[in-house]
Amino acid sequence: MNKTIIVSNRLPLQIKIDNNQLQVKPSVGGLATGLKTIHQEGNSLWIGWSGLTEEELNSDLSKQVKALIKKEKCDTVSLTQNDLENFYYGFSNRTLWPLFHYFMEYTEFENTYWDSYKAVNQKFADAVLEHVEDGDTVWVHDYQLLLVPKLIKDKKPNTTVGFFLHIPYPSYEIFRTFPWREELLHGILGADLIGFHTYDYQRHFLSSVKRILRLDVNFNEITYDDRVVKVDSFPMGIDYNKFHQSALKQKKEEKSELQKRLDDHIQSSKDARMILSIDRMDYTKGIPNRIRAFEYFLNKYPEYKEKVRLIMLAVPSRSNVPQYQLLKRETDELVGRVNGQFSTVSWTPIWYFYRSMPFENLIDLYTSSHIAMITPVRDGMNLVAKEYVATRTEQDGVLILSEMAGASKEMNEAMLINPNNFEQIADTLKQALEMPLKEQRSRMEILQKRLKRYTVEKWAEEFMKSLFATKNLGAVIIAK
Ligand code: ADQ
């Protein structure tokens, strides 16, 4: 029976060493949920890094990790501290991440990083090649593994390979600056189907293929060697029911401490309103812009002082990369500046949390906030915007969303803003605060309907369906 192999940088598992004892739990992230059906049913294997380096695992623990992971139908790729520094923090997060998000000034082109990226991609491909057989299907994920599709296809041409990019694909003018552009494109083109969140990313990719490799592109198909490579967009959804049902359930249960504090603010006056933002602490998420726009709003519309509060949850991320440390410092200073300028004895305009929160508290934040203000300067999709909508069980609330997030392409009923235009954000915030309930509901209803239909499971299913269709298309071409 043919297998499906999923490959991603991290496994869908949380692994901890407690008192020299290993604990393995399935993780609850979007990707793990979306691929659950494919992974659990049928003959499938997930290959990725466990999250523990070779140095952290002595050989006994290493064997145990392999065995425990095997039970979850996974296999690990072993990474050293040096791999982590050069491949992960280096090439993935100091070269590809900033470049693909249009942060040219943060992009570092370092040969050491590139060499490590090639070597680690080879490690991932080798782990796949250990298991893959003719007729199997392999689905590779994201920017850390762009060379893997070709490394598999070259060795095993009779497999079907899919690739999905979770971040934006930049325009040709940005991508052409990349020193190893040909090699990277050839790496991706090892796949039979290449998926992006939006049509724009797809278009940018095709343009790079045409102009850099001078290949024939016919609508969304590329003729490559004797194969046809298909490129398409698959906007990723969320586990709608999980968020919606959790919001309904939490209303009936005993309130958390956080919920009690949120209620205190809401009940402090009939005009009290809460505005929410949740992101990883990342320079692509537009956190400083958002604080500056909120400051601008309080200056322009002083009647909202003591009534609105911005609740900002920033989850620590990649904190050993210098730009992330600078961003953290800038955010701390800006929050301090706004709170210092506007706070009164009974009101603090920004509640700022720099930590991760349990899922229940995320739901408390989503369900208690009148407005979600999501302002990335670039974002492949942005699932937080979708999660906020799914938790609005009364269909009230307003979503303010950056037009630079992939999600904006399918969320037209949100209030779309340019994250660099403070005037527009401030005015939109005012409009959102004053929006009649009827209008909030009519917008929310359409947004919810769409999210309910195109869930993360559906996303995975559509990609796989298209991948199988590509496989058949390949067979036709070869037969000709
Ligand atoms: P991210 O940049 O991580 O993902 P996003 O899509 O917003 O961004 O996903 C964040 C996820 O983390 C959400 O599901 C959210 O619920 C969760 N989360 C946030 N704060 C949390 C907390 N404190 N505790 C627990 N969970 C928390 C990348 C791309 C995006 C793309 C996704 C999926 O950058 O553009 O949407 O992949 O493809």
Side-chain angles (χ1 to χ4, degrees), residues 97 166 197 236 278 280 285 313 315 356-357 362 366 379-384 387:
W97 179 269
H166 291 261
H197 281 305
M236 189 172 175
I278 297 182
R280 272 187 310 99
K285 302 287 182 185
L313 171 62
V315 183
S356 185
M357 279 198 189
L362 280 192
Y366 282 140
D379 210 337
M381 173 51 73
N382 195 296
L383 299 179
V384 171
E387 292 167 3

PDB file of all heavy atoms in Angstrom, residues 97 166 197 236 278 280 285 313 315 356-357 362 366 379-384 387, ligand 1:
ATOM      1  N   TRP A  97      13.419  34.441   5.846  1.00  0.00           N
ATOM      2  CA  TRP A  97      12.255  35.073   6.488  1.00  0.00           C
ATOM      3  C   TRP A  97      12.198  36.570   6.179  1.00  0.00           C
ATOM      4  O   TRP A  97      11.193  37.048   5.637  1.00  0.00           O
ATOM      5  CB  TRP A  97      12.260  34.783   8.002  1.00  0.00           C
ATOM      6  CG  TRP A  97      11.120  35.419   8.729  1.00  0.00           C
ATOM      7  CD1 TRP A  97      11.114  36.651   9.312  1.00  0.00           C
ATOM      8  CD2 TRP A  97       9.790  34.879   8.931  1.00  0.00           C
ATOM      9  NE1 TRP A  97       9.875  36.911   9.873  1.00  0.00           N
ATOM     10  CE2 TRP A  97       9.055  35.845   9.656  1.00  0.00           C
ATOM     11  CE3 TRP A  97       9.172  33.678   8.576  1.00  0.00           C
ATOM     12  CZ2 TRP A  97       7.719  35.647  10.040  1.00  0.00           C
ATOM     13  CZ3 TRP A  97       7.838  33.492   8.966  1.00  0.00           C
ATOM     14  CH2 TRP A  97       7.139  34.463   9.677  1.00  0.00           C
ATOM     15  N   HIS A 166       4.184  28.536   3.624  1.00  0.00           N
ATOM     16  CA  HIS A 166       3.278  29.181   4.587  1.00  0.00           C
ATOM     17  C   HIS A 166       3.500  30.681   4.707  1.00  0.00           C
ATOM     18  O   HIS A 166       2.743  31.360   5.395  1.00  0.00           O
ATOM     19  CB  HIS A 166       3.442  28.520   5.963  1.00  0.00           C
ATOM     20  CG  HIS A 166       2.917  27.114   5.997  1.00  0.00           C
ATOM     21  ND1 HIS A 166       1.678  26.808   6.506  1.00  0.00           N
ATOM     22  CD2 HIS A 166       3.432  25.949   5.534  1.00  0.00           C
ATOM     23  CE1 HIS A 166       1.466  25.510   6.380  1.00  0.00           C
ATOM     24  NE2 HIS A 166       2.516  24.958   5.786  1.00  0.00           N
ATOM     25  N   HIS A 197      -0.607  30.471  -0.203  1.00  0.00           N
ATOM     26  CA  HIS A 197      -1.859  30.909   0.422  1.00  0.00           C
ATOM     27  C   HIS A 197      -2.726  31.740  -0.529  1.00  0.00           C
ATOM     28  O   HIS A 197      -3.942  31.688  -0.455  1.00  0.00           O
ATOM     29  CB  HIS A 197      -1.568  31.781   1.643  1.00  0.00           C
ATOM     30  CG  HIS A 197      -1.186  31.035   2.878  1.00  0.00           C
ATOM     31  ND1 HIS A 197      -1.961  30.054   3.422  1.00  0.00           N
ATOM     32  CD2 HIS A 197      -0.111  31.156   3.707  1.00  0.00           C
ATOM     33  CE1 HIS A 197      -1.387  29.595   4.531  1.00  0.00           C
ATOM     34  NE2 HIS A 197      -0.270  30.235   4.717  1.00  0.00           N
ATOM     35  N   MET A 236      -5.123  28.736   3.678  1.00  0.00           N
ATOM     36  CA  MET A 236      -5.264  27.855   4.844  1.00  0.00           C
ATOM     37  C   MET A 236      -6.349  28.367   5.792  1.00  0.00           C
ATOM     38  O   MET A 236      -6.420  29.554   6.073  1.00  0.00           O
ATOM     39  CB  MET A 236      -3.923  27.784   5.580  1.00  0.00           C
ATOM     40  CG  MET A 236      -3.876  26.763   6.672  1.00  0.00           C
ATOM     41  SD  MET A 236      -2.158  26.657   7.252  1.00  0.00           S
ATOM     42  CE  MET A 236      -2.346  25.531   8.601  1.00  0.00           C
ATOM     43  N   ILE A 278      -3.098  39.830  18.990  1.00  0.00           N
ATOM     44  CA  ILE A 278      -2.300  38.661  19.396  1.00  0.00           C
ATOM     45  C   ILE A 278      -1.342  38.338  18.252  1.00  0.00           C
ATOM     46  O   ILE A 278      -1.770  38.201  17.112  1.00  0.00           O
ATOM     47  CB  ILE A 278      -3.202  37.417  19.631  1.00  0.00           C
ATOM     48  CG1 ILE A 278      -4.181  37.663  20.777  1.00  0.00           C
ATOM     49  CG2 ILE A 278      -2.363  36.168  19.904  1.00  0.00           C
ATOM     50  CD1 ILE A 278      -5.082  36.473  21.114  1.00  0.00           C
ATOM     51  N   ARG A 280       2.950  36.543  17.414  1.00  0.00           N
ATOM     52  CA  ARG A 280       4.312  36.260  17.836  1.00  0.00           C
ATOM     53  C   ARG A 280       5.032  37.594  17.804  1.00  0.00           C
ATOM     54  O   ARG A 280       4.720  38.454  16.978  1.00  0.00           O
ATOM     55  CB  ARG A 280       4.998  35.317  16.834  1.00  0.00           C
ATOM     56  CG  ARG A 280       4.790  33.862  17.106  1.00  0.00           C
ATOM     57  CD  ARG A 280       5.602  32.966  16.208  1.00  0.00           C
ATOM     58  NE  ARG A 280       5.474  33.284  14.809  1.00  0.00           N
ATOM     59  CZ  ARG A 280       6.357  33.997  14.121  1.00  0.00           C
ATOM     60  NH1 ARG A 280       7.473  34.434  14.674  1.00  0.00           N
ATOM     61  NH2 ARG A 280       6.150  34.258  12.858  1.00  0.00           N
ATOM     62  N   LYS A 285       4.868  41.615  12.058  1.00  0.00           N
ATOM     63  CA  LYS A 285       3.495  41.688  12.571  1.00  0.00           C
ATOM     64  C   LYS A 285       3.007  43.112  12.817  1.00  0.00           C
ATOM     65  O   LYS A 285       1.867  43.311  13.230  1.00  0.00           O
ATOM     66  CB  LYS A 285       3.368  40.857  13.858  1.00  0.00           C
ATOM     67  CG  LYS A 285       3.753  39.376  13.692  1.00  0.00           C
ATOM     68  CD  LYS A 285       2.698  38.581  12.920  1.00  0.00           C
ATOM     69  CE  LYS A 285       3.074  37.116  12.801  1.00  0.00           C
ATOM     70  NZ  LYS A 285       2.155  36.333  11.985  1.00  0.00           N
ATOM     71  N   LEU A 313      -1.186  40.890  23.254  1.00  0.00           N
ATOM     72  CA  LEU A 313      -0.454  39.684  23.643  1.00  0.00           C
ATOM     73  C   LEU A 313       0.623  39.432  22.597  1.00  0.00           C
ATOM     74  O   LEU A 313       0.324  39.228  21.416  1.00  0.00           O
ATOM     75  CB  LEU A 313      -1.418  38.492  23.733  1.00  0.00           C
ATOM     76  CG  LEU A 313      -0.783  37.116  23.927  1.00  0.00           C
ATOM     77  CD1 LEU A 313      -0.010  37.031  25.227  1.00  0.00           C
ATOM     78  CD2 LEU A 313      -1.862  36.028  23.924  1.00  0.00           C
ATOM     79  N   VAL A 315       3.755  36.956  21.817  1.00  0.00           N
ATOM     80  CA  VAL A 315       4.345  35.689  22.240  1.00  0.00           C
ATOM     81  C   VAL A 315       5.835  35.675  21.873  1.00  0.00           C
ATOM     82  O   VAL A 315       6.180  35.913  20.717  1.00  0.00           O
ATOM     83  CB  VAL A 315       3.618  34.499  21.560  1.00  0.00           C
ATOM     84  CG1 VAL A 315       4.163  33.173  22.050  1.00  0.00           C
ATOM     85  CG2 VAL A 315       2.118  34.585  21.806  1.00  0.00           C
ATOM     86  N   SER A 356       3.565  33.433  26.496  1.00  0.00           N
ATOM     87  CA  SER A 356       2.604  32.564  25.834  1.00  0.00           C
ATOM     88  C   SER A 356       1.458  32.340  26.816  1.00  0.00           C
ATOM     89  O   SER A 356       1.673  32.425  28.023  1.00  0.00           O
ATOM     90  CB  SER A 356       3.305  31.261  25.498  1.00  0.00           C
ATOM     91  OG  SER A 356       2.427  30.467  24.773  1.00  0.00           O
ATOM     92  N   MET A 357       0.261  32.103  26.330  1.00  0.00           N
ATOM     93  CA  MET A 357      -0.862  31.875  27.249  1.00  0.00           C
ATOM     94  C   MET A 357      -1.518  30.548  26.939  1.00  0.00           C
ATOM     95  O   MET A 357      -1.520  30.118  25.789  1.00  0.00           O
ATOM     96  CB  MET A 357      -1.902  32.960  27.075  1.00  0.00           C
ATOM     97  CG  MET A 357      -1.564  34.225  27.796  1.00  0.00           C
ATOM     98  SD  MET A 357      -3.043  35.211  27.963  1.00  0.00           S
ATOM     99  CE  MET A 357      -2.321  36.716  28.571  1.00  0.00           C
ATOM    100  N   LEU A 362      -6.550  32.327  25.698  1.00  0.00           N
ATOM    101  CA  LEU A 362      -6.685  32.911  24.355  1.00  0.00           C
ATOM    102  C   LEU A 362      -8.163  33.091  24.039  1.00  0.00           C
ATOM    103  O   LEU A 362      -8.599  34.132  23.536  1.00  0.00           O
ATOM    104  CB  LEU A 362      -6.098  31.987  23.288  1.00  0.00           C
ATOM    105  CG  LEU A 362      -4.621  31.927  23.016  1.00  0.00           C
ATOM    106  CD1 LEU A 362      -4.379  31.158  21.727  1.00  0.00           C
ATOM    107  CD2 LEU A 362      -4.028  33.313  22.874  1.00  0.00           C
ATOM    108  N   TYR A 366     -10.263  36.433  23.070  1.00  0.00           N
ATOM    109  CA  TYR A 366     -11.046  36.558  21.832  1.00  0.00           C
ATOM    110  C   TYR A 366     -12.508  36.914  22.141  1.00  0.00           C
ATOM    111  O   TYR A 366     -13.088  37.789  21.513  1.00  0.00           O
ATOM    112  CB  TYR A 366     -11.030  35.236  21.050  1.00  0.00           C
ATOM    113  CG  TYR A 366      -9.764  34.954  20.258  1.00  0.00           C
ATOM    114  CD1 TYR A 366      -9.231  33.659  20.211  1.00  0.00           C
ATOM    115  CD2 TYR A 366      -9.128  35.937  19.520  1.00  0.00           C
ATOM    116  CE1 TYR A 366      -8.089  33.370  19.462  1.00  0.00           C
ATOM    117  CE2 TYR A 366      -7.989  35.649  18.779  1.00  0.00           C
ATOM    118  CZ  TYR A 366      -7.473  34.373  18.752  1.00  0.00           C
ATOM    119  OH  TYR A 366      -6.354  34.101  18.006  1.00  0.00           O
ATOM    120  N   ASP A 379       2.297  39.328   6.019  1.00  0.00           N
ATOM    121  CA  ASP A 379       1.949  38.078   6.698  1.00  0.00           C
ATOM    122  C   ASP A 379       1.418  37.111   5.650  1.00  0.00           C
ATOM    123  O   ASP A 379       0.533  37.477   4.867  1.00  0.00           O
ATOM    124  CB  ASP A 379       0.852  38.370   7.744  1.00  0.00           C
ATOM    125  CG  ASP A 379       0.920  37.425   8.927  1.00  0.00           C
ATOM    126  OD1 ASP A 379       1.475  36.327   8.787  1.00  0.00           O
ATOM    127  OD2 ASP A 379       0.389  37.788  10.000  1.00  0.00           O
ATOM    128  N   GLY A 380       1.959  35.892   5.635  1.00  0.00           N
ATOM    129  CA  GLY A 380       1.545  34.907   4.641  1.00  0.00           C
ATOM    130  C   GLY A 380       0.031  34.749   4.632  1.00  0.00           C
ATOM    131  O   GLY A 380      -0.621  34.878   3.589  1.00  0.00           O
ATOM    132  N   MET A 381      -0.548  34.469   5.816  1.00  0.00           N
ATOM    133  CA  MET A 381      -1.988  34.331   5.928  1.00  0.00           C
ATOM    134  C   MET A 381      -2.492  35.156   7.114  1.00  0.00           C
ATOM    135  O   MET A 381      -3.117  36.161   6.977  1.00  0.00           O
ATOM    136  CB  MET A 381      -2.333  32.828   6.092  1.00  0.00           C
ATOM    137  CG  MET A 381      -3.779  32.491   6.381  1.00  0.00           C
ATOM    138  SD  MET A 381      -4.976  33.237   5.276  1.00  0.00           S
ATOM    139  CE  MET A 381      -4.772  32.327   3.787  1.00  0.00           C
ATOM    140  N   ASN A 382      -2.210  34.739   8.316  1.00  0.00           N
ATOM    141  CA  ASN A 382      -2.634  35.230   9.627  1.00  0.00           C
ATOM    142  C   ASN A 382      -3.883  34.500  10.098  1.00  0.00           C
ATOM    143  O   ASN A 382      -5.017  34.800   9.696  1.00  0.00           O
ATOM    144  CB  ASN A 382      -2.867  36.740   9.693  1.00  0.00           C
ATOM    145  CG  ASN A 382      -2.941  37.190  11.161  1.00  0.00           C
ATOM    146  OD1 ASN A 382      -3.839  36.796  11.905  1.00  0.00           O
ATOM    147  ND2 ASN A 382      -1.966  37.948  11.580  1.00  0.00           N
ATOM    148  N   LEU A 383      -3.638  33.545  10.978  1.00  0.00           N
ATOM    149  CA  LEU A 383      -4.731  32.707  11.480  1.00  0.00           C
ATOM    150  C   LEU A 383      -5.460  33.348  12.654  1.00  0.00           C
ATOM    151  O   LEU A 383      -6.615  33.028  12.925  1.00  0.00           O
ATOM    152  CB  LEU A 383      -4.175  31.334  11.894  1.00  0.00           C
ATOM    153  CG  LEU A 383      -3.523  30.548  10.743  1.00  0.00           C
ATOM    154  CD1 LEU A 383      -2.980  29.220  11.241  1.00  0.00           C
ATOM    155  CD2 LEU A 383      -4.519  30.290   9.605  1.00  0.00           C
ATOM    156  N   VAL A 384      -4.781  34.289  13.346  1.00  0.00           N
ATOM    157  CA  VAL A 384      -5.414  34.940  14.499  1.00  0.00           C
ATOM    158  C   VAL A 384      -6.696  35.660  14.057  1.00  0.00           C
ATOM    159  O   VAL A 384      -7.725  35.594  14.732  1.00  0.00           O
ATOM    160  CB  VAL A 384      -4.414  35.907  15.182  1.00  0.00           C
ATOM    161  CG1 VAL A 384      -5.092  36.762  16.228  1.00  0.00           C
ATOM    162  CG2 VAL A 384      -3.273  35.110  15.810  1.00  0.00           C
ATOM    163  N   GLU A 387      -9.333  33.100  13.790  1.00  0.00           N
ATOM    164  CA  GLU A 387      -9.725  32.557  15.096  1.00  0.00           C
ATOM    165  C   GLU A 387     -10.642  33.537  15.833  1.00  0.00           C
ATOM    166  O   GLU A 387     -11.610  33.133  16.474  1.00  0.00           O
ATOM    167  CB  GLU A 387      -8.472  32.246  15.934  1.00  0.00           C
ATOM    168  CG  GLU A 387      -7.678  31.088  15.348  1.00  0.00           C
ATOM    169  CD  GLU A 387      -6.276  30.908  15.920  1.00  0.00           C
ATOM    170  OE1 GLU A 387      -5.900  31.666  16.841  1.00  0.00           O
ATOM    171  OE2 GLU A 387      -5.554  30.020  15.447  1.00  0.00           O
TER     172      GLU A 387
HETATM  173  P1  ADQ B   1       2.631  32.618  12.316  1.00  0.00           P
HETATM  174  O1  ADQ B   1       3.520  33.713  11.868  1.00  0.00           O
HETATM  175  O2  ADQ B   1       3.036  31.954  13.569  1.00  0.00           O
HETATM  176  O3  ADQ B   1       2.429  31.499  11.178  1.00  0.00           O
HETATM  177  P2  ADQ B   1      -0.371  32.995  12.580  1.00  0.00           P
HETATM  178  O4  ADQ B   1      -0.952  32.562  11.302  1.00  0.00           O
HETATM  179  O5  ADQ B   1      -1.058  34.193  13.137  1.00  0.00           O
HETATM  180  O6  ADQ B   1       1.168  33.353  12.487  1.00  0.00           O
HETATM  181  O7  ADQ B   1      -0.481  31.795  13.605  1.00  0.00           O
HETATM  182  C1  ADQ B   1      -0.207  31.945  14.979  1.00  0.00           C
HETATM  183  C2  ADQ B   1      -0.866  30.797  15.741  1.00  0.00           C
HETATM  184  O8  ADQ B   1      -0.334  30.743  17.067  1.00  0.00           O
HETATM  185  C3  ADQ B   1      -2.371  30.969  15.869  1.00  0.00           C
HETATM  186  O9  ADQ B   1      -3.003  29.767  15.573  1.00  0.00           O
HETATM  187  C4  ADQ B   1      -2.582  31.347  17.343  1.00  0.00           C
HETATM  188  O10 ADQ B   1      -3.765  30.868  17.936  1.00  0.00           O
HETATM  189  C5  ADQ B   1      -1.399  30.691  18.008  1.00  0.00           C
HETATM  190  N1  ADQ B   1      -1.040  31.468  19.215  1.00  0.00           N
HETATM  191  C6  ADQ B   1      -0.834  32.776  19.258  1.00  0.00           C
HETATM  192  N2  ADQ B   1      -0.570  33.142  20.514  1.00  0.00           N
HETATM  193  C7  ADQ B   1      -0.583  32.051  21.260  1.00  0.00           C
HETATM  194  C8  ADQ B   1      -0.378  31.788  22.624  1.00  0.00           C
HETATM  195  N3  ADQ B   1      -0.083  32.736  23.489  1.00  0.00           N
HETATM  196  N4  ADQ B   1      -0.488  30.537  23.032  1.00  0.00           N
HETATM  197  C9  ADQ B   1      -0.779  29.558  22.175  1.00  0.00           C
HETATM  198  N5  ADQ B   1      -0.988  29.743  20.876  1.00  0.00           N
HETATM  199  C10 ADQ B   1      -0.886  30.977  20.415  1.00  0.00           C
HETATM  200  C11 ADQ B   1       2.944  31.278   9.853  1.00  0.00           C
HETATM  201  C12 ADQ B   1       2.811  32.447   8.863  1.00  0.00           C
HETATM  202  C13 ADQ B   1       1.368  32.910   8.803  1.00  0.00           C
HETATM  203  C14 ADQ B   1       0.464  31.735   8.405  1.00  0.00           C
HETATM  204  C15 ADQ B   1       0.744  30.516   9.269  1.00  0.00           C
HETATM  205  C16 ADQ B   1       0.018  29.272   8.729  1.00  0.00           C
HETATM  206  O11 ADQ B   1       3.669  33.520   9.232  1.00  0.00           O
HETATM  207  O12 ADQ B   1       1.221  33.969   7.874  1.00  0.00           O
HETATM  208  O13 ADQ B   1      -0.881  32.116   8.589  1.00  0.00           O
HETATM  209  O14 ADQ B   1       2.132  30.205   9.306  1.00  0.00           O
HETATM  210  O15 ADQ B   1       0.346  29.007   7.419  1.00  0.00           O
END
